[in-house]
Amino acid sequence: MPIYALGDLEPDIHPDAYVHPDATVIGDVRIGPHASVWPQTVLRGDNGYIELGARSNIQDGCVVHCTRADPTVLGPGSAIGHAVHVEGARIGSNCLIASGSVVLNGSVIEDGGMVGAGAVLSYNGHVPPGHIALGVPAKIRENTSFGAEQITRVVESYVGRAARFKKELRRLD
Ligand SMILES: CC(C)(COP(=O)(O)OP(=O)(O)OC[C@H]1O[C@@H](n2cnc3c(N)ncnc32)[C@H](O)[C@@H]1OP(=O)(O)O)[C@@H](O)C(=O)NCCC(=O)NCCS
């Protein structure tokens, strides 16, 4: 599993977290219990830090970076879908950052906020609780499309998947 220290900066991965062997984790990255990181995702904590709260997940093919001014913080209990780029944003609990979206520096997604598939939330974007960012550039509206229970279901399904992968994943080549 490519997990790298950078000088004194070392990832801190809870023993109950799951990091897929094909994810890359570098430097000041903190991963909480029952959180999960999926294949081809890169978490690069070389300038500022990245924190993944308990039970949160970052799905396949994501790029997560940060700056000293804007660390990237996710969760607890939130999900980042497939192929998402997050660059220095604070994302609360029970949030979903959906597939293929981009969330730029200084953005804040409050608890229960969502970013829709393919949206670009530009610098210092703000999504209040129960709202969603949609489109390019993203516009914020009340979230009547994807409820809090649906977000919880995504989060919990990944807690379960991570437990299964920890036990059952076998490399065959
Ligand atoms: C946001 C999302 C929930 C919308 O789903 P939907 O079923 O199309 O929702 P609605 O039918 O309620 O659409 C609401 C409005 O948003 C628009 N819209 C929907 N998805 C959009 C998107 N990704 N970008 C921009 N606009 C979008 C619709 O055209 C509609 O516009 P209108 O009210 O002006 O007619 C969906 O695009 C999404 O992001 N799903 C999450 C996928 C994901 O990442 N899952 C987790 C991986 S496990």
Side-chain angles (χ1 to χ4, degrees):
M1 183 185 321
I3 293 183
Y4 299 96
L6 182 68
D8 293 339
L9 303 176
E10 268 193 39
D12 177 6
I13 302 174
H14 192 280
D16 292 334
Y18 175 70
V19 179
H20 186 279
D22 294 327
T24 301
V25 178
I26 302 168
D28 192 352
V29 178
R30 309 155 191 184
I31 303 180
H34 306 290
S36 58
V37 181
W38 296 86
Q40 310 306 335
T41 277
V42 178
L43 308 181
R44 177 149 55 87
D46 57 351
N47 183 28
Y49 64 90
I50 297 169
E51 190 173 290
L52 180 53
R55 305 178 83 78
S56 288
N57 65 78
I58 305 184
Q59 297 166 26
D60 319 61
C62 294
V63 175
V64 180
H65 195 216
C66 50
T67 66
R68 252 179 241 297
D70 294 310
T72 290
V73 178
L74 173 71
S78 285
I80 294 186
H82 305 89
V84 168
H85 175 198
V86 180
E87 186 73 35
R90 290 186 181 269
I91 301 164
S93 62
N94 211 44
C95 294
L96 173 61
I97 312 303
S99 306
S101 58
V102 176
V103 178
L104 293 181
N105 310 61
S107 290
V108 175
I109 291 90
E110 294 193 55
D111 295 350
M114 179 168 166
V115 175
V120 176
L121 185 63
S122 197
Y123 301 111
N124 304 311
H126 177 225
V127 183
H131 285 64
I132 184 168
L134 278 179
V136 183
K139 294 205 169 30
I140 313 301
R141 54 197 272 177
E142 201 180 333
N143 188 359
T144 53
S145 305
F146 206 90
E149 319 71 47
Q150 284 171 286
I151 296 178
T152 304
R153 271 205 293 280
V154 172
V155 169
E156 291 309 316
S157 88
Y158 272 84
V159 172
R161 264 169 233 261
R164 177 177 177 210
F165 272 60
K166 254 185 163 215
K167 276 205 200 116
E168 295 184 16
L169 187 72
R170 288 177 295 129
R171 186 162 178 155
L172 294 179
D173 63 344

